[in-house]
Amino acid sequence: MRWLRENSLALAFLVMFLLALGGQAVAGLLQFNDRQVAEGAEPASFFQYVASSAFAVDVAENWQSEYLQFFLFIMLTVWLVQKGSPESKESGEEGVESEERQQIGRYAHDRSPAWARAHGVRLWLFSNSLGLVMGGFFVLSWLAQSVAGQAAYNSERLSDLRDPVSWGSYVTSAEFWDRSLQNWQSELLAVLSMVVLSIYLRQRGSPESKPVGASHSATGVEG
């Protein structure tokens, strides 16, 4: 029970993710088969659909926009500030900060991760590991979207008796960028809303909000 309580936030999001993904698969299958029947083709089974490029591209294009959002937020908050937002550092604290404040090198303590006491490449990798992994996930999901999207796009073209396109032609096409940018703009708007609204609005008990009584100008303060 203690393990469940201490990991309840991650577990809750994992369960909601799996339910949403399953729901997307079922709804997507129904929509896909509706088109198949309308075109006089055979409907697909559930496992055929979730293994198809049509399902893969819908999943991957959402994943890459989410990882782009977090990658940009992680990296930009190193150097940029927003007065009054709990999502920002105080003005004048821009940058990677001192070793003492980051508790690395000779300032590491007994419970610090081993690589926080390292030097050179190992310390650099660990110091930037969150941004590197988020950026890596974005690149991989972007590639997955482009490959699955090309396959799905070519399937539609072949059904219309048109020639398939190469991967390079697809990733420079309006089809690809329309799918990508409609997701990117929504994620960037959500981050902008969080950064700005958290200046003036509160959620009691949430670490993503300032304390209810904190001034609007208080920056980098979390409840």
Side-chain angles (χ1 to χ4, degrees), residues 34 43 54-55 63 66 80 82 88 95 103 113 118 140 200 216 221:
D34 185 60
F55 179 69
W63 288 9
E66 295 293 343
L80 304 180
Q82 175 59 56
S88 168
Q103 302 174 38
L140 290 175
Y200 305 102
H216 291 327
V221 178

Side-chain angles (χ1 to χ4, degrees), residues 3 6 36 51 56 62 68-69 77 96 118 121 127 139 154 170 173-174 176 184 196 198:
W3 184 87
E6 291 178 344
Q36 290 288 95
N62 283 286
L68 175 65
Q69 171 196 165
T77 51
V96 295
V121 175
S127 298
V139 172
N154 281 339
Y170 177 70
S173 68
F176 177 77
W184 291 9
V196 175
S198 61

Side-chain angles (χ1 to χ4, degrees), residues 27 59 62 70-71 90 112 117 128 141 179 186 194 221:
V59 171
N62 283 286
F70 283 110
F71 172 70
E90 288 274 9
S112 296
R117 294 189 289 272
N128 296 279
S141 54
R179 295 181 73 104
S186 63
M194 183 65 181
V221 178

Side-chain angles (χ1 to χ4, degrees), residues 19-199:
L19 289 174
L21 185 63
Q24 178 189 353
V26 172
L29 173 64
L30 294 174
Q31 184 180 30
F32 181 80
N33 281 341
D34 185 60
R35 290 198 304 267
Q36 290 288 95
V37 171
E39 295 171 0
E42 287 291 322
S45 69
F46 178 80
F47 293 105
Q48 286 175 325
Y49 175 69
V50 296
S52 70
S53 58
F55 179 69
V57 68
D58 287 342
V59 171
E61 75 178 37
N62 283 286
W63 288 9
Q64 59 98 350
S65 63
E66 295 293 343
Y67 282 115
L68 175 65
Q69 171 196 165
F70 283 110
F71 172 70
L72 290 176
F73 193 54
I74 290 164
M75 301 309 295
L76 291 178
T77 51
V78 175
W79 300 100
L80 304 180
V81 296
Q82 175 59 56
K83 183 178 180 180
S85 176
E87 307 296 332
S88 168
K89 295 189 288 189
E90 288 274 9
S91 178
E93 295 180 356
E94 299 89 340
V96 295
E97 302 177 348
S98 67
E99 290 191 352
E100 182 177 8
R101 181 159 187 175
Q102 286 292 311
Q103 302 174 38
I104 58 177
R106 63 193 179 95
Y107 297 103
H109 50 79
D110 293 340
R111 298 184 64 184
S112 296
W115 279 33
R117 294 189 289 272
H119 299 280
V121 175
R122 284 198 302 164
L123 180 57
W124 183 88
L125 284 173
F126 188 61
S127 298
N128 296 279
S129 55
L130 183 58
L132 289 171
V133 169
M134 287 295 186
F137 282 155
F138 164 68
V139 172
L140 290 175
S141 54
W142 184 90
L143 287 172
Q145 178 202 351
S146 68
V147 172
Q150 179 201 8
Y153 185 59
N154 281 339
S155 178
E156 292 179 2
R157 290 180 65 87
L158 288 171
S159 66
D160 295 334
L161 303 179
R162 293 186 293 167
D163 292 335
V165 300
S166 66
W167 180 82
S169 296
Y170 177 70
V171 297
T172 56
S173 68
E175 156 77 12
F176 177 77
W177 287 104
D178 177 59
R179 295 181 73 104
S180 296
L181 292 172
Q182 65 177 293
N183 285 283
W184 291 9
Q185 55 87 12
S186 63
E187 302 301 338
L188 296 173
L189 177 62
V191 173
L192 172 63
S193 301
M194 183 65 181
V195 169
V196 175
L197 292 177
S198 61
I199 298 173

